[in-house]
Amino acid sequence: MNDMSRPIVKLNSVEKNFGAVRALDGVDLDILPGECLGLVGHNGAGKSTLMNILAGIQTPTSGILDFGDGGTSTNHNVSEARRQGIRCVFQELSLCPNLTVTENARIQHPGIKGWNWRARARELILGHLDEIFPNHGISADDLVGDLSIAKRQMVEIARAFSIVDSDIRLVILDEPTSSLDATIADQLMAHVRRFTGAGGSCVLISHLLEEILTTSDRIIVMRDGDVVDSRPAQDFSRQTLVETMGSVAKDLHEFDQNTDSKRSEETPYLSIYPTEAHRGISLNAHKGEIVGLAGLSGHGQTDTLVRIYDRRKQYGIEMAFVAGDRQSDGVFPLWTIGQNISISSIRNLLNLGLLDLKREHELAEEWRDKIAIRTPDVNHNILSLSGGNQQKALFARAFGSPADTILMDDPMRGVDIGTKQEVYEMIRAEAATGRTFIWYTTEMDELKHCDHVYVFRNGQIAADLSSQELTEQKVLHASFEEAS
Amino acid sequence: MTHSALMKLSEKPWLWAFIGATCVWIATIIFTGGQGAGEILSAALSFGTFSVIVGIGQMYVITLGPGNVDLSIPATMTFAGVVSMKIIDSQNSMILTGLLIALACGAAVGVFNYGLIRLLRIPPIIATLSSSFLVQSSAIAYGRGLKIKPPPLLADFSTTKILGVPLLAICVMPLAAFMGLVLHRTVYGKSVLAIGQNPRAAKLAGVRVDFIRFATYVLSAVLAGFCGYVLSGFSGGASLNMGAEYLLASIAVVVIGGTSVAGGYSNLPGLWGASLFMFLLVTMLNTFGLSAGVRLILTGAIIVGVIVLAGGRKN
């Protein structure tokens, strides 16, 4: 291996402009061998852009990437990055949905060839899946498109850590746990520690600060395209990290004086069984309530939300949906930010049957300000936004619509902590005016904002907890009960 | 700078169709020494109008996204033409009834197409192709191959020119403009565009996906019915192969006009440019006096060339 003190890559005043937008403003950064580098910052702070440059996907406008071995590349590209042993797991997953897990593993490793490639690719990917995520429940012959987003993410991660002919020196994990539940996220973090313990390096981007604080050796904070702080992880606390990022940390306990359950003997506003075949406990929502759906990911929460949405006519309730898997369920890639926001409100923006463009623009502007979407112009294409800001546009779409019930499918993926707090407050305020929320989340902290929580297991409701009864132990217990 | 100028151009892919049409027209009149320049243009507008009518429907269908295409347009045109001409029986008094019958024939085919697609889950390309056999056979059975003259008033209407501009083109232009407005400014049009980009996201954004797709296949067939009716008036009656050339034409004008085959993005002005281009291209090659084989090869090559140029739209 290399000299342990020499950085595997050295970035020198790297800048990147997208037209008039300055995404990176002269970043200097060293990544050392055997180091887990935590990277935090606001949505649009430039984290993903920086990683895209390291991975060779984007070329810096100016600046130098120095890989030590004389490979100072001014025209760094994807194959060069792979040669340098850099692998990435991006927020927007890069698997081909129409191919099996095995075939996807083969795509990244041209080294696997010859008559027996399928067996070797299968062995490679299953080996890594077993190593990182024991009991993952994924078959190598599953079509990727049929897997839940959590399982797709697991395959993507296992693939990034798999070695065929070239060594891996640096693995970039951009929001790797955003769709994973806590248990699987812990497995991944343990693997990251093992990997860096063996001399590999990792860059870990996450909005879950606990994860960053416990897993990283060093943490760098980005703000507005620049690195504003870099310290060993133990020198940071959750509080100082949030302050450095530039948002004021709100104490969660502020919300703890939870309203008494709004439930009384009155009939629920909406009621559904997750599976018609085995009824069991039903999911009920009352007007103005925030109902949380918990449990391990992929246990029927998303399906239940979609079924509720499909029955909105039957219930006679106007509903809006905030997608968590924004690529496949949310974003219209050819449209502007404004058009993406207004699509669920068009009926209210009509003037003599025609869409009133001025009012459409006003709606978009209003929500850009309310939810702080980072863009100079809502007429720019939606894909010009960073992942977290695209997610904000999806919130704006639902909140700005006339719907009186809002369904949210683990919607905080890639959203920074400052915005999360604002959205939590918005949800509370809207619920107080009588809007109902049904909210699937993989984050325990978010359940504390709910009036009532249903824990899912195997497509059914395993526990029905009011906010007074809610504890982390109860949720975990209900999620795993049948494992024994 | 040239960069921003290029950007602006690439945002208007329909421009290529008009540029192509203009080049071909100029090449033709250079060859003829300026003779017949106006007549060629006038004829192109006459014939191009029919392509535009069916092109609008096809454009809406293609905008619904990958796999969506209406191959039953030629058969629907024939069917609507044959049925309406037979019922009108060359009487001026029946013109309006005949029009309604032609539109109803189209609507019936559209409902049938979507029934195959939705209820029997047959891919649109197969569903519309197979339904076109049924529809074409119905036309043959009903019309028994007789060509019935259109009522004189309809024939006059579809062939009259005002200062060289066909009356029909003058009537279809507002229709096309209206359909462009529908696409970008109404709930229906926005829904079509949303479904074409991402049907699942469209459903979760509150778009009535099934209803919109149904309406779009019916729209395409109704426009085909209308086209069959006016084309019967134009060409002295309904013949059994009158729709044949509109299978390729309806798709080609959509694609050349700058509509994305991948769906979600379409372009109405481009239909006019592309329709003129298609007619002028054939005229040019005929004027050059090339042999049939060379003509076909060049037609194919030039269409591919224009699509490559116009299709430079990147995400």
Side-chain angles (χ1 to χ4, degrees):
Chain A
M1 285 234 78
N2 289 349
D3 178 3
M4 288 302 277
S5 61
R6 220 175 64 201
I8 57 170
V9 62
K10 231 174 136 60
L11 272 67
N12 246 324
S13 48
V14 168
E15 292 180 17
K16 178 74 188 175
N17 300 333
F18 294 105
V21 181
R22 198 167 179 76
L24 291 179
D25 195 6
V27 172
D28 296 311
L29 177 66
D30 295 354
I31 301 175
L32 301 171
E35 167 179 64
C36 177
L37 183 66
L39 175 51
V40 296
H42 271 306
N43 290 139
K47 304 182 298 286
S48 295
T49 308
L50 185 62
M51 293 306 114
N52 278 336
I53 285 175
L54 261 182
I57 293 163
Q58 286 167 355
T59 340
T61 313
S62 70
I64 294 169
L65 278 76
D66 180 359
F67 291 94
D69 59 346
T72 303
S73 42
T74 41
N75 53 347
H76 188 56
N77 58 37
V78 176
S79 53
E80 175 64 18
R82 281 191 68 80
R83 206 182 61 73
Q84 292 288 353
I86 299 176
R87 303 291 177 79
C88 321
V89 176
F90 286 116
Q91 254 182 77
E92 318 294 348
L93 304 184
S94 61
L95 300 170
C96 303
N98 56 336
L99 299 181
T100 65
V101 172
T102 307
E103 287 159 349
N104 269 289
R106 163 64 184 77
I107 288 177
Q108 216 180 39
H109 294 295
I112 306 177
K113 51 188 166 203
W115 60 275
N116 204 16
W117 67 268
R118 208 173 271 275
R120 276 181 290 145
R122 180 199 312 263
E123 204 179 312
L124 178 79
I125 192 72
L126 280 184
H128 281 86
L129 275 170
D130 291 341
E131 186 191 341
I132 307 173
F133 307 109
N135 304 322
H136 48 76
I138 299 167
S139 152
D141 299 322
D142 286 342
L143 274 185
V144 165
D146 295 340
L147 298 176
S148 68
I149 186 165
K151 287 187 170 170
R152 268 183 276 155
Q153 182 100 45
M154 287 154 72
V155 172
E156 179 103 19
I157 292 167
R159 185 174 75 159
F161 279 105
S162 61
I163 307 172
V164 171
D165 31 38
S166 57
D167 235 12
I168 306 181
R169 294 164 70 201
L170 171 65
V171 177
I172 298 168
L173 299 164
D174 191 352
E175 294 282 344
T177 57
S178 57
S179 350
L180 304 180
D181 60 57
T183 322
I184 295 174
D186 287 345
Q187 291 175 344
L188 173 62
M189 291 305 127
H191 184 78
V192 167
R193 295 307 316 164
R194 284 201 296 278
F195 178 72
T196 53
S201 309
C202 256
V203 175
L204 176 63
I205 302 179
S206 177
H207 289 301
L208 301 178
L209 301 180
E210 305 307 328
E211 197 169 272
I212 291 275
L213 285 165
T214 52
T215 311
S216 320
D217 299 305
R218 183 162 64 102
I219 298 176
I220 62 173
V221 181
M222 288 190 75
R223 195 163 65 204
D224 303 327
D226 206 356
V227 174
V228 292
D229 206 347
S230 164
R231 278 188 257 165
Q234 59 267 29
D235 294 359
F236 277 114
S237 68
R238 188 189 156 86
Q239 191 70 25
T240 53
L241 208 49
V242 170
E243 278 164 13
T244 319
M245 280 163 63
S247 52
V248 183
K250 292 230 175 59
D251 201 349
L252 269 181
H253 299 289
E254 181 179 318
F255 298 113
D256 271 357
Q257 11 90 9
N258 249 333
T259 41
D260 289 332
S261 180
K262 292 179 183 88
R263 307 222 153 162
S264 52
E265 56 288 349
E266 65 181 296
T267 46
Y269 170 67
L270 182 160
S271 177
I272 192 171
Y273 292 100
T275 22
E276 282 302 329
H278 308 277
R279 290 199 154 196
I281 307 174
S282 67
L283 190 162
N284 297 316
H286 290 75
K287 203 159 173 51
E289 223 175 19
I290 304 174
V291 175
L293 309 186
L296 301 178
S297 63
H299 278 248
Q301 298 94 331
T302 303
D303 295 344
T304 304
L305 285 178
V306 172
R307 279 186 49 223
I308 296 174
Y309 190 75
D310 284 343
R311 292 183 178 190
R312 61 192 187 280
K313 287 264 148 54
Q314 254 166 276
Y315 294 125
I317 302 172
E318 277 205 70
M319 294 188 187
F321 194 98
V322 184
D325 186 352
R326 59 179 163 269
Q327 265 178 317
S328 67
D329 297 353
V331 162
F332 295 107
L334 301 177
W335 274 353
T336 66
I337 300 161
Q339 288 170 325
N340 265 282
I341 292 176
S342 68
I343 178 72
S344 294
S345 313
I346 300 186
R347 276 167 221 282
N348 288 42
L349 299 173
L350 296 180
N351 191 0
L352 302 172
L354 287 184
L355 175 64
D356 187 331
L357 296 180
K358 191 164 152 269
R359 278 166 63 200
E360 183 192 32
H361 186 75
E362 282 166 3
L363 177 81
E365 288 282 349
E366 178 194 338
W367 281 93
R368 174 179 72 168
D369 297 341
K370 265 195 196 168
I371 203 166
I373 299 171
R374 285 186 166 228
T375 178
D377 188 348
V378 291
N379 292 322
H380 286 178
N381 184 278
I382 182 85
L383 298 182
S384 69
L385 295 178
S386 71
N389 278 296
Q390 289 177 27
Q391 196 65 46
K392 290 187 200 172
L394 299 187
F395 271 113
R397 180 192 292 169
F399 287 17
S401 79
D404 37 35
T405 297
I406 295 184
L407 310 177
M408 303 194 289
D409 178 21
D410 200 6
M412 299 293 181
R413 289 173 215 194
V415 176
D416 65 55
I417 187 156
T419 310
K420 274 184 189 173
Q421 302 288 7
E422 283 164 28
V423 174
Y424 297 154
E425 276 179 46
M426 231 177 255
I427 291 172
R428 293 232 136 228
E430 295 282 323
T433 66
R435 251 188 179 170
T436 310
F437 289 83
I438 302 180
W439 182 2
Y440 163 42
T441 173
T442 47
E443 289 179 43
M444 190 63 68
D445 280 348
E446 291 182 353
L447 293 177
K448 293 178 186 150
H449 298 281
C450 301
D451 300 315
H452 213 88
V453 172
Y454 292 94
V455 186
F456 277 64
R457 192 182 63 236
N458 293 332
Q460 293 188 41
I461 294 173
D464 173 351
L465 304 168
S466 71
S467 59
Q468 291 89 342
E469 298 168 304
L470 179 76
T471 62
E472 185 159 0
Q473 283 73 16
K474 278 187 187 159
V475 172
L476 286 175
H477 183 70
S479 313
F480 286 105
E481 213 166 62
E482 267 171 353
S484 56
Chain B
M1 257 192 67
T2 49
H3 183 66
S4 65
L6 271 175
M7 289 280 285
K8 276 219 177 92
L9 251 184
S10 70
E11 280 166 20
K12 294 189 172 25
W14 50 267
L15 210 59
W16 291 107
F18 284 99
I19 291 172
T22 313
C23 292
V24 169
W25 179 64
I26 290 171
T28 313
I29 56 176
I30 287 173
F31 190 85
T32 62
Q35 266 191 340
E39 286 89 335
I40 291 173
L41 214 50
S42 172
L45 211 48
S46 286
F47 286 93
T49 302
F50 298 109
S51 302
V52 170
I53 297 171
V54 288
I56 294 171
Q58 188 71 276
M59 182 190 80
Y60 269 84
V61 171
I62 287 179
T63 306
L64 285 175
N68 285 294
V69 68
D70 185 356
L71 299 183
S72 69
I73 285 176
T76 311
M77 287 171 65
T78 307
F79 182 60
V82 166
V83 173
S84 58
M85 287 310 123
K86 191 164 172 186
I87 291 177
I88 291 172
D89 197 19
S90 309
Q91 306 166 54
N92 278 340
S93 60
M94 291 289 280
I95 280 184
L96 207 61
T97 320
L99 173 64
L100 292 177
I101 286 166
L103 298 182
C105 288
V109 175
V111 170
F112 181 68
N113 279 341
Y114 194 69
L116 292 178
I117 294 168
R118 176 66 190 163
L119 300 178
L120 303 182
R121 299 184 178 276
I122 302 173
I125 198 166
I126 308 290
T128 54
L129 191 60
S130 42
S131 89
S132 76
F133 288 119
L134 298 175
V135 173
Q136 182 81 15
S137 307
S138 310
I140 294 170
Y142 186 78
R144 273 179 269 129
L146 299 172
K147 192 165 183 174
I148 300 167
K149 272 192 176 309
L153 210 57
L154 176 64
D156 287 348
F157 167 77
S158 47
T159 47
T160 301
K161 291 183 179 178
I162 297 169
L163 303 172
V165 182
L167 180 59
L168 189 61
I170 296 173
C171 294
V172 171
M173 274 176 207
L175 172 73
F178 173 73
M179 292 310 288
L181 199 65
V182 166
L183 184 68
H184 294 288
R185 296 284 294 280
T186 64
V187 176
Y188 168 70
K190 296 286 274 188
S191 302
V192 170
L193 291 169
I195 293 169
Q197 295 176 65
N198 188 340
R200 188 171 154 89
K203 186 187 103 170
L204 294 174
V207 171
R208 294 152 73 198
V209 176
D210 280 328
F211 174 75
I212 299 290
R213 293 182 68 200
F214 167 74
T216 305
Y217 277 93
V218 172
L219 171 73
S220 171
V222 166
L223 284 169
F226 175 63
C227 188
Y229 175 76
V230 285
L231 187 60
S232 303
F234 183 78
S235 54
S239 60
L240 288 176
N241 64 347
M242 64 190 258
E245 64 180 292
Y246 291 92
L247 181 61
L248 175 70
S250 70
I251 299 172
V253 295
V254 172
V255 179
I256 295 174
T259 292
S260 161
V261 192
Y265 177 84
S266 43
N267 217 305
L268 217 135
L271 290 178
W272 285 101
S275 299
L276 295 178
F277 172 75
M278 291 282 285
F279 181 85
L280 290 170
L281 178 63
V282 175
T283 311
M284 176 184 81
L285 296 175
N286 282 334
T287 317
F288 289 177
L290 300 171
S291 71
V294 178
R295 253 180 6 231
L296 285 177
I297 290 172
L298 282 177
T299 311
I302 292 173
I303 290 176
V304 170
V306 172
I307 289 175
V308 169
L309 278 176
R313 186 185 159 81
K314 302 223 163 47
N315 291 336

